[in-house]
Amino acid sequence: MPKILNAKTVHDYNAYVGHADQHPLVSVIDYAALPPIRHSRTRFSVYALFLRDDCLEDLTYGCSKYDYREGTLICVSPGQIGGVEDNGEVFRIEGWALLFSPELLHGTPLAARMKEFTFFAYQVNEALHMTAEERATLIALMKQIQEELCRHPDVHQRTILVAYIELILNFCLRFYERQFATRKSSNHDVLARFETLLHQGKRI
């Protein structure tokens, strides 16, 4: 039976990739600063957003393949399993990641909003294909969280971290809606051209 990494906490994933803990409930990872690792299928008990700049052809999400290519955002939520089977190879991840525990959201308005962010669902099974501008926006926000994690903790830090995370999720929602709107428009154009060809064929 294939081995599965259990990322029950932010620390568990940090330890897997070799990233130092900065906060027990939140982690921002710049993979460029980390050593190569082995592949792993991972069961998550935390939320995670992976902005990947590499390309994995065999990436799975649940029981199916993930629609994924270089330069995309992958979103997972507690209870989900994703990744690539460990084949013994060592590889270097490229990109960024944001992980946060559901515990961080307890008692906050964001906790009640999480169901709105449907891009976390298995049935979406699709990565967000971002523009360069969208990618830059998310990285800038992740860097803001990274800076906050370097500060001495105080009574305001949790509120600030949750606010940044909510802002990132709101941007992701906008980007996903842009992606599907663009695809819908493209599909409509294809259908219109097909109907035109059918009409021309009837006249012939």
Side-chain angles (χ1 to χ4, degrees):
M1 186 175 188
K3 183 178 180 181
I4 294 181
L5 171 70
N6 286 305
K8 295 182 179 179
T9 65
V10 167
H11 165 76
D12 291 338
Y13 188 82
N14 284 344
Y16 161 57
V17 298
H19 180 67
D21 291 337
Q22 290 181 287
H23 190 284
L25 303 178
V26 184
S27 181
V28 172
I29 300 171
D30 176 4
Y31 288 110
L34 302 182
I37 60 171
R38 290 174 63 158
H39 291 293
S40 174
R41 289 266 290 159
T42 304
R43 177 183 290 109
F44 292 91
S45 297
V46 298
Y47 289 98
L49 286 78
F50 298 102
L51 178 54
R52 297 290 293 269
D53 293 328
D54 48 355
C55 187
L56 298 175
E57 296 180 357
D58 297 323
L59 183 68
T60 59
Y61 186 46
C63 296
S64 58
K65 296 291 184 181
Y66 205 85
D67 176 16
Y68 168 71
R69 61 175 179 260
E70 181 179 351
T72 55
L73 183 72
I74 302 166
C75 305
V76 300
S77 61
Q80 295 176 348
I81 299 175
V84 176
E85 296 290 352
D86 182 5
N87 59 5
E89 295 179 356
V90 175
F91 78 110
R92 182 178 294 277
I93 302 178
E94 298 178 17
W96 290 74
L98 166 65
L99 294 94
F100 58 96
S101 170
E103 185 180 343
L104 180 77
L105 309 183
H106 287 174
T108 70
L110 180 56
R113 287 197 63 210
M114 291 305 293
K115 61 182 178 294
E116 298 176 24
F117 305 114
T118 54
F119 44 79
F120 281 114
Y122 263 143
Q123 55 265 34
V124 173
N125 205 39
E126 180 171 23
L128 171 61
H129 308 304
M130 293 182 296
T131 65
E133 181 180 1
E134 291 168 349
R135 181 182 180 281
T137 296
L138 292 190
I139 291 177
L141 289 170
M142 287 188 186
K143 288 181 177 179
Q144 290 290 331
I145 295 177
Q146 200 172 47
E147 289 181 12
E148 180 60 36
L149 293 174
C150 291
R151 297 179 185 273
H152 185 73
D154 58 24
V155 295
H156 303 288
Q157 188 175 66
R158 179 177 179 233
T159 300
I160 292 170
L161 290 172
V162 171
Y164 274 130
I165 290 171
E166 184 167 18
L167 184 56
I168 285 177
L169 296 180
N170 284 333
F171 271 113
C172 288
L173 194 59
R174 169 190 277 181
F175 299 159
Y176 262 103
E177 288 177 354
R178 182 271 308 157
Q179 175 168 296
F180 290 120
T182 300
R183 181 170 302 163
K184 183 177 180 181
S185 176
S186 177
N187 290 342
H188 176 75
D189 290 344
V190 170
L191 180 60
R193 289 196 298 271
F194 179 68
E195 290 178 342
T196 298
L197 289 173
L198 282 178
H199 181 67
Q200 291 174 345
K202 288 180 180 179
R203 291 197 306 182
I204 294 172

